[in-house]
Amino acid sequence: MNTVQVKNTVIGEGRPKICVPIVGKTKTDILEEAKNITSLPVDVVEWRVDWFDDVFATEKVLETAKELQEVLKDIPILLTFRTSKEGGEIPRPLSKEEILHIVKKYGEAANDYAALNIAAAQSGYVDLIDVEAFTGDEVVKTIINAAHEAGVKVIASNHDFFKTPEKEEIIRRLCMMQELGADIPKIAVMPTCKQDVITLLSATLETSEKYADRPIITMSMAGTGVVSRLTGETFGSALTFGAASKASAPGQVGVHELKQVLDIIHSSL
């Protein structure tokens, strides 16, 4: 199993790493959240840029990312532009003018979604980007290749807020993300019953033991699925999301409580 190192954080060894989202709407709010996070036991910070009021002004996104990096210092930054179809805030596309130079360099596959991710990766202000795996294979490959050229790692993700797919389908999606070249495949699903949580954990275990040659991230959402956010080291999920203030997904646990449980499990293995 290969690990993924971002700054001083190594994902894929030891206890699952803790990632905390920032969901502020203004630059002031975002930087204030970041200052509060620096005193918490956090390994990675996810900036949910789809919550940002100026998300469609690329210069302001990069300016804010730069200041965010200055505040967080050695804490790696994961930039996530979550689209509406996977639980994001804003579906509106960027203007043609904003993506023109990206399209010229990377071709027509570089659409509005790709443009923002590529610009962020090339800026040097973020350490990882999240790419939704079902955006289209060519678009996903374009973003991944551009990010890797810039020395930025990629999490490929898929979210189902309505159900939990069959075990074989979860495994298939994670393997597909690996084949697309993502550094870390990720899937989050919604349980409709307790058995769904077992399905997710079983798929995680089988993928990590039989198919994955890199870290994976999995979770079952909402209250029923909280156990999946805590037992990653047992079943094979390398990172978990906790809440510092406002949760970005249902079922996120407070950071201090999350670390306490992860440490207990880690010390027993």
Side-chain angles (χ1 to χ4, degrees):
M1 175 70 68
N2 297 312
T3 58
V4 172
Q5 180 160 356
V6 279
K7 291 184 175 172
N8 298 322
T9 298
V10 181
I11 301 170
E13 71 174 22
R15 70 157 174 79
K17 300 307 179 282
I18 297 173
C19 182
V20 168
I22 288 179
V23 291
K25 291 187 174 295
T26 67
K27 183 169 78 168
T28 300
D29 292 341
I30 290 162
L31 297 178
E32 190 61 35
E33 282 189 51
K35 289 174 186 174
N36 293 333
I37 284 172
T38 57
S39 63
L40 299 175
V42 169
D43 300 299
V44 179
V45 167
E46 178 186 42
W47 180 21
R48 279 288 302 273
V49 71
D50 51 296
W51 285 74
F52 184 38
D53 284 342
D54 292 314
V55 64
F56 299 112
T58 303
E59 288 184 8
K60 291 186 178 180
V61 170
L62 300 185
E63 174 187 295
T64 303
K66 181 176 185 294
E67 294 188 39
L68 192 58
Q69 185 186 62
E70 291 168 354
V71 172
L72 293 172
K73 296 184 172 62
D74 291 332
I75 302 175
I77 298 171
L78 161 64
L79 181 131
T80 298
F81 181 7
R82 184 70 63 232
T83 65
S84 59
K85 67 184 173 65
E86 298 221 12
E89 287 297 290
I90 307 171
R92 182 164 57 87
L94 299 170
S95 70
K96 290 183 179 179
E97 290 76 15
E98 288 174 309
I99 67 170
L100 184 58
H101 67 289
I102 300 294
V103 172
K104 282 182 178 177
K105 183 171 183 181
Y106 291 100
E108 291 302 322
N111 62 5
D112 56 298
Y113 175 79
L116 180 60
N117 277 291
I118 292 171
Q122 292 176 333
S123 72
Y125 303 139
V126 304
D127 306 283
L128 308 104
I129 58 171
D130 177 293
V131 180
E132 292 171 0
F134 290 96
T135 305
D137 285 2
E138 290 308 310
V139 175
V140 171
K141 288 177 183 177
T142 295
I143 299 171
I144 290 174
N145 290 338
H148 286 166
E149 286 177 13
V152 170
K153 305 296 185 183
V154 179
I155 295 176
S157 65
N158 175 233
H159 303 76
D160 192 326
F161 285 89
F162 301 101
K163 66 183 185 306
T164 297
E166 294 295 323
K167 173 182 170 180
E168 292 72 19
E169 176 61 16
I170 294 173
I171 294 171
R172 185 193 72 81
R173 293 182 191 181
L174 290 167
C175 289
M176 180 200 77
M177 297 173 201
Q178 181 169 281
E179 290 164 5
L180 286 170
D183 299 283
I184 307 175
K186 171 195 170 189
I187 191 166
V189 296
M190 184 66 72
T192 60
C193 60
K194 293 174 183 177
Q195 181 61 47
D196 282 348
V197 182
I198 296 173
T199 297
L200 182 278
L201 292 174
S202 180
T204 304
L205 182 62
E206 185 166 332
T207 303
S208 65
E209 289 187 340
K210 292 185 178 181
Y211 306 110
D213 61 5
R214 63 203 67 189
I216 63 171
I217 302 169
T218 69
M219 67 208 70
S220 183
M221 293 184 281
T224 304
V226 163
V227 65
S228 71
R229 298 180 181 274
L230 308 175
T231 57
E233 192 169 358
T234 303
F235 292 95
S237 180
L239 182 146
T240 188
F241 290 77
S245 54
K246 183 177 176 62
S248 64
Q252 284 180 0
V253 180
V255 171
H256 289 290
E257 294 86 352
L258 181 58
K259 183 178 185 300
Q260 185 177 19
V261 174
L262 293 177
D263 285 344
I264 290 170
I265 293 173
H266 177 67
S267 65
S268 70
L269 294 175

